[in-house]
Amino acid sequence: MKGLLICAALVLVLAHAIEREGTLPVVLTDDNFDQLVMKNHTDGHPPVWIIKLYAPWCGHCKRLAPIWEKYSQKMIKEKSNVIVAKVDCQANSKIKNRFDIGSYPSIFFVDQNKKAYKYKGPRTIENWETFTAGEYKKAEEQFEIPGVLTYTEQIFKTIKSVWRTFVKAFSVLLQKVGLGFLPGWIQVAIIISVLMSPIVCMLACIYYIDKMDVETQKAELAKKDEDKKGKDPIKPVELIEKKTNQIISECRKG
């Protein structure tokens, strides 16, 4: 009886998903994710999910696609309670942010309690079956799937993702130049120094330019003061005397 209930629940879920998307593995979107994956089933035997989150431009994702499809068909033939699904993160940013995706492809197992476990092993059907059978409990990354994120939460998630990607890339660079043996906190300190260097240089340039402007203005004012001091203004009495002498000189000539 329990087996029939499980099969019936799986048939309803898959039929709904296939009706909407017309393909297998089940295609999850921002619109149907909560209705399919996060829905609370009343039969006591909810299905579990293994989800591939990918990007259409990713070469690794393209190579994984046919294997993932075979895995989905195998689970259906065996009437497993594991539903194989996929998410195009480029078209479904809400799901991408909820799973905090930083690289592609990313594979997660979602258990009956709506808890996600990230898979990091070899990309083979046998290993996925082992993972969903119980190995997922040993996963390093486990978390409760959050609800739809607000705009502010999405911004912080994006910043966190960019920072994580940068740290990962910089760590690889340190390893290539022979500095991979350094402790993590020293590597982070080096990364922060590298990030801060352009900012410090920019602030120094702004300060220097402002200082030069101030000094230039002071020099111009000092020059004007010197010009004023260099000119000896003519006194009124001297002006009258000069004018009188000019008139007398003209009269004598006449």
Side-chain angles (χ1 to χ4, degrees), residues 144-230:
E144 300 289 340
I145 301 176
V148 178
L149 303 179
T150 64
Y151 183 71
T152 303
E153 289 173 336
Q154 290 180 17
I155 292 176
F156 280 108
K157 280 275 187 181
T158 302
I159 294 173
K160 180 182 176 182
S161 178
V162 171
W163 167 255
R164 185 173 55 192
T165 303
F166 180 82
V167 170
K168 184 177 179 181
F170 199 85
S171 297
V172 172
L173 179 62
L174 288 177
Q175 290 178 359
K176 288 185 177 181
V177 298
L179 297 176
F181 64 90
L182 294 174
W185 67 271
I186 294 181
Q187 294 187 17
V188 171
I190 294 174
I191 292 172
I192 293 175
S193 300
V194 171
L195 289 175
M196 291 298 294
S197 295
I199 298 174
V200 172
C201 290
M202 183 181 66
L203 293 175
C205 289
I206 293 173
Y207 172 77
Y208 178 75
I209 292 172
D210 288 342
K211 186 177 180 181
M212 289 294 294
D213 289 340
V214 171
E215 291 179 354
T216 301
Q217 291 176 2
K218 288 182 177 180
E220 290 177 354
L221 291 174
K223 186 177 179 182
K224 289 180 180 179
D225 291 339
E226 289 178 0
D227 290 341
K228 289 181 180 179
K229 291 179 180 179

Coordinates of all heavy atoms in Angstrom, one line a residue, residues 144-230:
E144 N 19.2 24.6 4.9 CA 17.7 24.7 4.7 C 17.5 25.6 3.5 O 18.0 26.7 3.5 CB 17.0 25.2 5.9 CG 17.2 24.3 7.2 CD 16.4 23.0 7.1 OE1 15.5 22.9 6.2 OE2 16.8 22.1 7.8
I145 N 16.7 25.2 2.6 CA 16.4 26.0 1.4 C 15.6 27.3 1.8 O 14.5 27.1 2.4 CB 15.7 25.3 0.3 CG1 16.5 24.0 -0.1 CG2 15.4 26.2 -0.9 CD1 15.8 23.1 -1.1
P146 N 16.2 28.5 1.6 CA 15.5 29.7 2.0 C 14.3 30.0 1.1 O 14.2 29.4 0.0 CB 16.6 30.8 2.0 CG 17.5 30.3 0.9 CD 17.5 28.8 1.0
G147 N 13.5 30.9 1.5 CA 12.4 31.4 0.6 C 12.9 32.3 -0.4 O 14.2 32.5 -0.5
V148 N 12.0 32.9 -1.2 CA 12.5 33.8 -2.2 C 13.1 35.0 -1.6 O 12.6 35.6 -0.7 CB 11.2 34.3 -3.1 CG1 11.7 35.3 -4.2 CG2 10.6 33.0 -3.8
L149 N 14.3 35.4 -2.1 CA 15.1 36.5 -1.4 C 14.5 37.8 -1.8 O 14.0 38.0 -2.9 CB 16.5 36.4 -1.9 CG 17.2 35.1 -1.6 CD1 18.7 35.1 -2.1 CD2 17.2 34.8 -0.1
T150 N 14.6 38.8 -0.9 CA 14.3 40.2 -1.2 C 15.4 40.8 -2.1 O 16.4 40.2 -2.3 CB 14.1 41.0 0.1 OG1 15.4 41.0 0.7 CG2 13.1 40.4 1.0
Y151 N 15.1 42.0 -2.6 CA 16.1 42.7 -3.4 C 17.4 42.9 -2.7 O 18.5 42.7 -3.3 CB 15.5 44.0 -3.9 CG 16.4 44.7 -4.9 CD1 16.6 44.3 -6.2 CD2 17.0 45.9 -4.5 CE1 17.4 45.0 -7.1 CE2 17.9 46.6 -5.4 CZ 18.1 46.1 -6.7 OH 18.9 46.8 -7.5
T152 N 17.3 43.3 -1.4 CA 18.5 43.6 -0.6 C 19.3 42.3 -0.4 O 20.5 42.3 -0.5 CB 18.1 44.2 0.7 OG1 17.4 45.4 0.5 CG2 19.4 44.5 1.5
E153 N 18.6 41.2 -0.1 CA 19.2 39.9 0.1 C 19.9 39.5 -1.2 O 21.0 38.9 -1.1 CB 18.2 38.9 0.6 CG 17.7 39.1 2.0 CD 16.6 38.2 2.4 OE1 15.9 37.7 1.5 OE2 16.4 38.0 3.6
Q154 N 19.3 39.7 -2.3 CA 19.9 39.3 -3.6 C 21.2 40.1 -3.8 O 22.2 39.5 -4.3 CB 18.9 39.6 -4.7 CG 17.7 38.6 -4.7 CD 16.8 38.9 -5.9 OE1 17.1 39.6 -6.9 NE2 15.6 38.4 -5.8
I155 N 21.2 41.4 -3.5 CA 22.4 42.2 -3.6 C 23.6 41.6 -2.8 O 24.7 41.4 -3.2 CB 22.2 43.7 -3.3 CG1 21.2 44.3 -4.3 CG2 23.5 44.4 -3.2 CD1 20.8 45.7 -4.0
F156 N 23.3 41.3 -1.5 CA 24.3 40.8 -0.6 C 24.8 39.4 -1.1 O 25.9 39.1 -1.0 CB 23.8 40.7 0.8 CG 23.8 42.0 1.6 CD1 22.7 42.7 1.8 CD2 25.0 42.5 2.0 CE1 22.7 43.9 2.5 CE2 25.1 43.7 2.6 CZ 23.9 44.4 2.9
K157 N 23.8 38.6 -1.6 CA 24.2 37.3 -2.2 C 25.1 37.4 -3.3 O 26.1 36.7 -3.5 CB 22.9 36.5 -2.6 CG 22.2 35.9 -1.5 CD 22.7 34.5 -1.2 CE 21.9 33.8 -0.2 NZ 22.4 32.4 0.1
T158 N 24.8 38.4 -4.2 CA 25.7 38.7 -5.4 C 27.1 39.1 -5.0 O 28.1 38.6 -5.5 CB 25.0 39.7 -6.3 OG1 23.7 39.3 -6.7 CG2 25.9 39.9 -7.5
I159 N 27.1 40.0 -4.0 CA 28.4 40.5 -3.5 C 29.2 39.3 -2.9 O 30.4 39.1 -3.2 CB 28.3 41.6 -2.5 CG1 27.6 42.8 -3.1 CG2 29.6 41.9 -1.8 CD1 27.3 43.9 -2.1
K160 N 28.5 38.5 -2.2 CA 29.2 37.3 -1.5 C 29.7 36.4 -2.6 O 30.8 35.8 -2.5 CB 28.2 36.6 -0.6 CG 28.8 35.4 0.1 CD 27.7 34.7 0.9 CE 28.2 33.4 1.6 NZ 27.2 32.7 2.4
S161 N 28.9 36.1 -3.6 CA 29.3 35.2 -4.7 C 30.5 35.8 -5.5 O 31.4 35.0 -5.8 CB 28.1 35.0 -5.7 OG 28.5 34.2 -6.8
V162 N 30.5 37.1 -5.8 CA 31.6 37.7 -6.5 C 32.9 37.6 -5.6 O 34.0 37.3 -6.1 CB 31.3 39.2 -6.8 CG1 32.6 39.9 -7.4 CG2 30.2 39.2 -7.8
W163 N 32.8 37.9 -4.3 CA 33.9 37.8 -3.4 C 34.5 36.4 -3.4 O 35.7 36.2 -3.4 CB 33.5 38.3 -2.0 CG 34.5 38.0 -1.0 CD1 34.5 37.0 0.0 CD2 35.8 38.6 -0.8 NE1 35.6 37.0 0.8 CE2 36.4 38.0 0.3 CE3 36.5 39.7 -1.4 CZ2 37.7 38.4 0.8 CZ3 37.7 40.0 -0.9 CH2 38.3 39.4 0.2
R164 N 33.6 35.4 -3.3 CA 34.0 34.0 -3.2 C 34.7 33.6 -4.5 O 35.7 32.9 -4.4 CB 32.8 33.1 -3.0 CG 33.1 31.7 -2.7 CD 31.9 30.9 -2.4 NE 30.8 31.1 -3.3 CZ 29.6 30.7 -3.1 NH1 29.2 30.2 -2.0 NH2 28.7 30.9 -4.1
T165 N 34.2 34.0 -5.6 CA 34.8 33.7 -6.9 C 36.2 34.3 -7.0 O 37.2 33.7 -7.4 CB 33.9 34.2 -8.1 OG1 32.6 33.6 -7.9 CG2 34.6 33.8 -9.4
F166 N 36.3 35.5 -6.5 CA 37.6 36.2 -6.6 C 38.6 35.6 -5.7 O 39.8 35.4 -6.1 CB 37.4 37.7 -6.2 CG 38.7 38.5 -6.2 CD1 39.2 39.0 -7.4 CD2 39.4 38.7 -5.1 CE1 40.4 39.7 -7.4 CE2 40.6 39.4 -5.1 CZ 41.1 39.9 -6.3
V167 N 38.2 35.2 -4.5 CA 39.1 34.5 -3.5 C 39.6 33.2 -4.1 O 40.8 32.9 -4.0 CB 38.4 34.3 -2.2 CG1 39.2 33.4 -1.3 CG2 38.2 35.7 -1.5
K168 N 38.7 32.5 -4.7 CA 39.0 31.2 -5.3 C 40.0 31.3 -6.4 O 41.0 30.6 -6.5 CB 37.7 30.5 -5.8 CG 38.0 29.1 -6.3 CD 36.7 28.5 -6.8 CE 36.9 27.1 -7.4 NZ 35.6 26.4 -7.8
A169 N 39.8 32.3 -7.3 CA 40.7 32.5 -8.4 C 42.1 33.0 -7.9 O 43.1 32.6 -8.4 CB 40.1 33.6 -9.4
F170 N 42.1 33.9 -6.9 CA 43.3 34.4 -6.4 C 44.1 33.3 -5.6 O 45.3 33.2 -5.7 CB 43.1 35.5 -5.4 CG 44.3 36.4 -5.2 CD1 44.6 37.4 -6.0 CD2 45.1 36.2 -4.1 CE1 45.7 38.2 -5.8 CE2 46.2 37.0 -3.8 CZ 46.5 38.0 -4.7
S171 N 43.4 32.4 -5.0 CA 44.1 31.2 -4.3 C 44.7 30.3 -5.3 O 45.9 29.9 -5.1 CB 43.0 30.4 -3.5 OG 42.5 31.2 -2.5
V172 N 44.1 30.1 -6.4 CA 44.7 29.3 -7.5 C 46.0 30.0 -8.0 O 47.0 29.4 -8.3 CB 43.7 29.1 -8.7 CG1 44.4 28.4 -9.8 CG2 42.5 28.3 -8.2
L173 N 45.9 31.4 -8.2 CA 47.1 32.1 -8.6 C 48.2 32.0 -7.6 O 49.4 31.8 -8.0 CB 46.7 33.6 -8.8 CG 47.8 34.5 -9.3 CD1 48.3 34.1 -10.6 CD2 47.3 36.0 -9.3
L174 N 47.9 32.1 -6.3 CA 49.0 31.9 -5.3 C 49.6 30.5 -5.4 O 50.8 30.4 -5.2 CB 48.4 32.2 -3.9 CG 48.0 33.6 -3.6 CD1 47.3 33.7 -2.2 CD2 49.2 34.6 -3.6
Q175 N 48.8 29.5 -5.6 CA 49.3 28.2 -5.7 C 50.3 28.1 -6.9 O 51.3 27.4 -6.9 CB 48.2 27.2 -5.9 CG 47.4 27.0 -4.6 CD 46.2 26.1 -4.7 OE1 46.0 25.5 -5.8 NE2 45.5 25.9 -3.7
K176 N 49.9 28.7 -8.0 CA 50.8 28.7 -9.2 C 52.1 29.4 -9.1 O 53.1 29.0 -9.7 CB 50.0 29.3 -10.4 CG 48.8 28.4 -10.9 CD 48.2 29.0 -12.2 CE 47.1 28.0 -12.7 NZ 46.5 28.6 -13.9
V177 N 52.1 30.4 -8.2 CA 53.4 31.1 -8.0 C 54.1 30.6 -6.8 O 55.1 31.2 -6.4 CB 53.1 32.6 -7.8 CG1 52.5 33.2 -9.1 CG2 52.3 32.9 -6.6
G178 N 53.7 29.5 -6.3 CA 54.4 28.8 -5.2 C 54.0 29.3 -3.8 O 54.8 29.1 -2.8
L179 N 52.9 30.0 -3.6 CA 52.6 30.6 -2.3 C 51.3 29.9 -1.7 O 50.7 30.4 -0.8 CB 52.3 32.1 -2.4 CG 53.5 32.9 -2.8 CD1 53.1 34.4 -3.0 CD2 54.7 32.8 -1.8
G180 N 51.0 28.8 -2.3 CA 49.8 28.1 -1.8 C 49.9 27.5 -0.4 O 48.9 27.1 0.2
F181 N 51.1 27.4 0.1 CA 51.3 26.8 1.4 C 51.0 27.8 2.5 O 50.9 27.5 3.7 CB 52.8 26.5 1.6 CG 53.8 27.6 1.5 CD1 54.1 28.3 2.6 CD2 54.3 28.0 0.3 CE1 55.0 29.4 2.6 CE2 55.1 29.1 0.2 CZ 55.5 29.8 1.3
L182 N 50.8 29.1 2.2 CA 50.5 30.1 3.2 C 49.1 29.8 3.8 O 48.2 29.3 3.2 CB 50.4 31.5 2.5 CG 51.7 32.0 1.9 CD1 51.5 33.3 1.2 CD2 52.8 32.2 3.1
P183 N 49.0 30.1 5.1 CA 47.7 29.9 5.8 C 46.6 30.8 5.2 O 46.9 31.8 4.5 CB 48.0 30.4 7.3 CG 49.5 30.3 7.4 CD 50.1 30.6 6.0
G184 N 45.4 30.3 5.4 CA 44.3 31.0 4.8 C 44.1 32.5 5.2 O 43.8 33.3 4.3
W185 N 44.4 32.8 6.4 CA 44.3 34.2 6.9 C 45.3 35.1 6.2 O 45.0 36.3 5.9 CB 44.3 34.3 8.4 CG 45.7 34.0 9.0 CD1 46.2 32.8 9.3 CD2 46.8 34.9 9.2 NE1 47.4 32.9 9.8 CE2 47.8 34.2 9.8 CE3 46.9 36.3 9.1 CZ2 49.0 34.8 10.1 CZ3 48.1 36.9 9.4 CH2 49.1 36.2 10.0
I186 N 46.5 34.5 5.9 CA 47.5 35.3 5.2 C 47.1 35.6 3.8 O 47.3 36.7 3.2 CB 48.9 34.7 5.3 CG1 49.4 34.6 6.7 CG2 49.9 35.4 4.4 CD1 50.7 34.0 6.9
Q187 N 46.5 34.5 3.1 CA 46.0 34.7 1.8 C 44.9 35.7 1.7 O 44.9 36.5 0.8 CB 45.5 33.3 1.2 CG 46.6 32.3 1.1 CD 46.1 31.0 0.4 OE1 45.1 31.0 -0.2 NE2 46.9 29.9 0.5
V188 N 44.0 35.7 2.7 CA 43.0 36.7 2.7 C 43.5 38.1 2.9 O 43.1 39.1 2.2 CB 41.9 36.4 3.8 CG1 41.0 37.5 4.0 CG2 41.2 35.1 3.5
A189 N 44.6 38.2 3.7 CA 45.2 39.5 4.0 C 45.9 40.0 2.7 O 45.8 41.2 2.4 CB 46.3 39.4 5.1
I190 N 46.5 39.1 1.9 CA 47.1 39.5 0.6 C 46.0 40.0 -0.3 O 46.2 41.0 -1.1 CB 47.9 38.3 0.0 CG1 49.1 38.0 0.9 CG2 48.4 38.7 -1.4 CD1 49.9 36.8 0.5
I191 N 44.9 39.3 -0.4 CA 43.8 39.6 -1.3 C 43.2 41.0 -0.9 O 43.0 41.8 -1.8 CB 42.7 38.5 -1.2 CG1 43.2 37.2 -1.8 CG2 41.4 39.0 -1.9 CD1 42.2 36.1 -1.5
I192 N 43.1 41.2 0.4 CA 42.5 42.6 0.8 C 43.5 43.7 0.4 O 43.1 44.7 0.0 CB 42.3 42.6 2.3 CG1 41.1 41.6 2.6 CG2 41.9 44.0 2.8 CD1 40.8 41.4 4.1
S193 N 44.8 43.4 0.6 CA 45.9 44.4 0.2 C 45.8 44.7 -1.3 O 45.9 45.8 -1.7 CB 47.2 43.8 0.6 OG 47.3 43.6 2.0
V194 N 45.6 43.6 -2.1 CA 45.6 43.8 -3.5 C 44.3 44.7 -3.9 O 44.4 45.5 -4.8 CB 45.5 42.5 -4.3 CG1 45.2 42.6 -5.7 CG2 46.9 41.8 -4.1
L195 N 43.2 44.3 -3.2 CA 42.0 45.1 -3.5 C 42.1 46.5 -3.0 O 41.5 47.4 -3.7 CB 40.8 44.4 -2.8 CG 40.3 43.1 -3.4 CD1 39.2 42.4 -2.6 CD2 39.9 43.2 -4.9
M196 N 42.7 46.7 -1.9 CA 42.8 48.1 -1.4 C 43.8 49.0 -2.1 O 43.7 50.2 -2.0 CB 43.2 48.0 0.1 CG 42.1 47.4 1.0 SD 40.6 48.4 1.0 CE 41.2 49.9 1.8
S197 N 44.8 48.4 -2.7 CA 45.9 49.2 -3.4 C 45.3 50.2 -4.4 O 45.7 51.4 -4.3 CB 46.9 48.2 -4.1 OG 47.5 47.4 -3.1
P198 N 44.4 49.8 -5.3 CA 43.9 50.8 -6.2 C 43.1 51.9 -5.5 O 43.2 53.1 -5.9 CB 43.0 50.0 -7.1 CG 43.4 48.6 -7.0 CD 43.9 48.5 -5.6
I199 N 42.4 51.5 -4.4 CA 41.7 52.5 -3.7 C 42.6 53.5 -3.0 O 42.4 54.7 -3.1 CB 40.7 51.9 -2.7 CG1 39.7 50.9 -3.4 CG2 40.0 52.9 -1.8 CD1 38.9 50.1 -2.4
V200 N 43.7 53.0 -2.4 CA 44.6 53.9 -1.7 C 45.3 54.8 -2.7 O 45.5 56.0 -2.5 CB 45.7 53.0 -1.0 CG1 46.8 53.9 -0.5 CG2 45.0 52.2 0.2
C201 N 45.7 54.2 -3.9 CA 46.3 55.0 -4.9 C 45.4 56.1 -5.4 O 45.8 57.3 -5.6 CB 46.7 54.2 -6.1 SG 48.1 53.0 -5.7
M202 N 44.1 55.8 -5.6 CA 43.2 56.8 -6.0 C 43.0 57.9 -5.0 O 43.0 59.1 -5.4 CB 41.8 56.1 -6.3 CG 40.7 57.1 -6.8 SD 39.2 56.2 -7.1 CE 38.7 55.8 -5.4
L203 N 42.9 57.5 -3.8 CA 42.8 58.6 -2.7 C 44.0 59.4 -2.6 O 43.9 60.7 -2.4 CB 42.5 57.9 -1.4 CG 41.2 57.1 -1.2 CD1 41.1 56.4 0.1 CD2 40.0 58.1 -1.4
A204 N 45.2 58.8 -2.8 CA 46.4 59.6 -2.8 C 46.5 60.6 -3.9 O 46.9 61.7 -3.7 CB 47.6 58.6 -2.8
C205 N 46.1 60.1 -5.1 CA 46.0 61.0 -6.3 C 45.1 62.2 -6.0 O 45.4 63.3 -6.4 CB 45.6 60.2 -7.5 SG 46.9 59.1 -8.1
I206 N 43.9 61.9 -5.5 CA 42.9 63.0 -5.2 C 43.5 64.0 -4.2 O 43.4 65.2 -4.4 CB 41.6 62.4 -4.7 CG1 40.9 61.5 -5.8 CG2 40.7 63.5 -4.2 CD1 39.7 60.8 -5.3
Y207 N 44.2 63.4 -3.2 CA 44.8 64.3 -2.2 C 45.9 65.2 -2.8 O 46.0 66.4 -2.5 CB 45.3 63.5 -1.0 CG 46.1 64.3 0.0 CD1 45.5 65.1 0.9 CD2 47.5 64.2 0.0 CE1 46.2 65.8 1.8 CE2 48.3 65.0 0.9 CZ 47.6 65.8 1.8 OH 48.3 66.5 2.7
Y208 N 46.7 64.6 -3.6 CA 47.8 65.3 -4.2 C 47.3 66.4 -5.2 O 47.8 67.5 -5.2 CB 48.7 64.3 -5.0 CG 49.9 64.9 -5.7 CD1 51.0 65.4 -5.0 CD2 49.8 65.1 -7.1 CE1 52.0 66.0 -5.7 CE2 50.9 65.7 -7.8 CZ 52.0 66.2 -7.0 OH 53.0 66.8 -7.7
I209 N 46.3 66.0 -6.0 CA 45.7 67.0 -6.9 C 45.1 68.2 -6.1 O 45.3 69.4 -6.5 CB 44.6 66.4 -7.8 CG1 45.3 65.4 -8.8 CG2 43.9 67.4 -8.6 CD1 44.4 64.5 -9.5
D210 N 44.4 67.9 -5.1 CA 43.8 69.0 -4.3 C 44.8 69.8 -3.6 O 44.7 71.1 -3.6 CB 42.9 68.3 -3.2 CG 41.6 67.8 -3.7 OD1 41.2 68.1 -4.9 OD2 41.0 67.0 -3.0
K211 N 45.9 69.2 -3.2 CA 47.0 69.9 -2.6 C 47.7 70.8 -3.6 O 48.0 72.0 -3.3 CB 48.0 69.0 -2.0 CG 49.1 69.6 -1.2 CD 50.1 68.6 -0.5 CE 51.2 69.3 0.2 NZ 52.1 68.3 0.9
M212 N 47.9 70.4 -4.8 CA 48.5 71.1 -5.9 C 47.6 72.3 -6.2 O 48.1 73.5 -6.5 CB 48.7 70.3 -7.1 CG 49.8 69.3 -6.9 SD 51.5 70.0 -6.7 CE 51.6 70.8 -8.3
D213 N 46.3 72.1 -6.2 CA 45.3 73.2 -6.5 C 45.4 74.3 -5.5 O 45.4 75.5 -5.8 CB 43.9 72.7 -6.6 CG 43.7 71.8 -7.9 OD1 44.5 72.0 -8.8 OD2 42.7 71.0 -7.9
V214 N 45.5 73.9 -4.2 CA 45.6 74.8 -3.1 C 46.9 75.6 -3.2 O 46.9 76.9 -3.1 CB 45.5 74.1 -1.7 CG1 45.8 75.1 -0.6 CG2 44.1 73.5 -1.6
E215 N 48.0 74.9 -3.5 CA 49.3 75.6 -3.6 C 49.3 76.6 -4.8 O 49.9 77.7 -4.7 CB 50.4 74.6 -3.7 CG 50.6 73.8 -2.4 CD 51.7 72.7 -2.5 OE1 52.2 72.6 -3.7 OE2 52.1 72.1 -1.5
T216 N 48.7 76.1 -5.9 CA 48.6 77.0 -7.1 C 47.8 78.3 -6.8 O 48.2 79.4 -7.1 CB 48.0 76.2 -8.2 OG1 48.8 75.1 -8.5 CG2 48.0 77.1 -9.5
Q217 N 46.7 78.1 -6.1 CA 45.9 79.3 -5.7 C 46.7 80.2 -4.8 O 46.6 81.4 -4.9 CB 44.6 78.8 -5.1 CG 43.6 78.1 -6.0 CD 42.4 77.6 -5.3 OE1 42.3 77.7 -4.1 NE2 41.6 76.9 -6.1
K218 N 47.4 79.6 -3.8 CA 48.2 80.5 -2.9 C 49.3 81.2 -3.7 O 49.5 82.4 -3.4 CB 48.8 79.6 -1.8 CG 47.8 79.1 -0.8 CD 48.6 78.3 0.3 CE 47.6 77.8 1.3 NZ 48.3 77.0 2.4
A219 N 49.9 80.5 -4.6 CA 50.9 81.2 -5.4 C 50.4 82.3 -6.3 O 51.0 83.4 -6.4 CB 51.6 80.2 -6.3
E220 N 49.2 82.1 -6.8 CA 48.6 83.2 -7.6 C 48.2 84.4 -6.8 O 48.4 85.5 -7.2 CB 47.3 82.6 -8.3 CG 47.7 81.6 -9.4 CD 46.4 81.1 -10.1 OE1 45.3 81.3 -9.5 OE2 46.5 80.3 -11.1
L221 N 47.7 84.1 -5.6 CA 47.3 85.2 -4.7 C 48.6 86.0 -4.2 O 48.6 87.2 -4.2 CB 46.6 84.7 -3.5 CG 45.2 84.1 -3.7 CD1 44.6 83.5 -2.5 CD2 44.3 85.3 -4.2
A222 N 49.7 85.2 -3.9 CA 50.9 85.9 -3.5 C 51.5 86.7 -4.7 O 52.0 87.9 -4.4 CB 51.9 84.8 -3.1
K223 N 51.4 86.3 -5.9 CA 51.9 87.0 -7.0 C 51.1 88.3 -7.2 O 51.6 89.4 -7.5 CB 51.8 86.2 -8.3 CG 52.4 86.8 -9.5 CD 52.4 85.9 -10.7 CE 53.0 86.6 -11.9 NZ 52.9 85.7 -13.1
K224 N 49.8 88.2 -7.0 CA 48.9 89.4 -7.1 C 49.3 90.4 -6.1 O 49.4 91.6 -6.3 CB 47.5 89.0 -7.0 CG 46.9 88.3 -8.2 CD 45.5 88.0 -8.1 CE 44.9 87.2 -9.3 NZ 43.5 86.9 -9.1
D225 N 49.6 89.9 -4.8 CA 49.9 90.9 -3.8 C 51.3 91.5 -4.1 O 51.4 92.7 -3.8 CB 50.1 90.1 -2.4 CG 48.7 89.6 -1.9 OD1 47.7 90.2 -2.4 OD2 48.7 88.7 -1.2
E226 N 52.2 90.8 -4.6 CA 53.5 91.3 -5.0 C 53.4 92.4 -6.1 O 54.0 93.4 -6.1 CB 54.5 90.2 -5.4 CG 54.9 89.3 -4.3 CD 55.8 88.2 -4.8 OE1 56.1 88.2 -6.0 OE2 56.3 87.4 -3.9
D227 N 52.5 92.1 -7.1 CA 52.3 93.1 -8.1 C 51.7 94.4 -7.6 O 52.1 95.5 -8.0 CB 51.3 92.5 -9.2 CG 52.0 91.3 -10.0 OD1 53.3 91.3 -9.9 OD2 51.3 90.5 -10.6
K228 N 50.8 94.2 -6.7 CA 50.2 95.4 -6.1 C 51.3 96.2 -5.3 O 51.3 97.5 -5.3 CB 49.1 95.0 -5.1 CG 47.8 94.6 -5.9 CD 46.7 94.2 -4.9 CE 45.5 93.7 -5.7 NZ 44.4 93.4 -4.8
K229 N 52.1 95.5 -4.5 CA 53.1 96.2 -3.8 C 54.2 96.8 -4.7 O 54.8 97.8 -4.3 CB 53.8 95.2 -2.8 CG 52.9 94.7 -1.7 CD 53.6 93.7 -0.8 CE 52.7 93.2 0.3 NZ 53.4 92.2 1.1
G230 N 54.5 96.2 -5.8 CA 55.5 96.7 -6.7 C 55.1 98.0 -7.4 O 55.9 98.8 -7.8

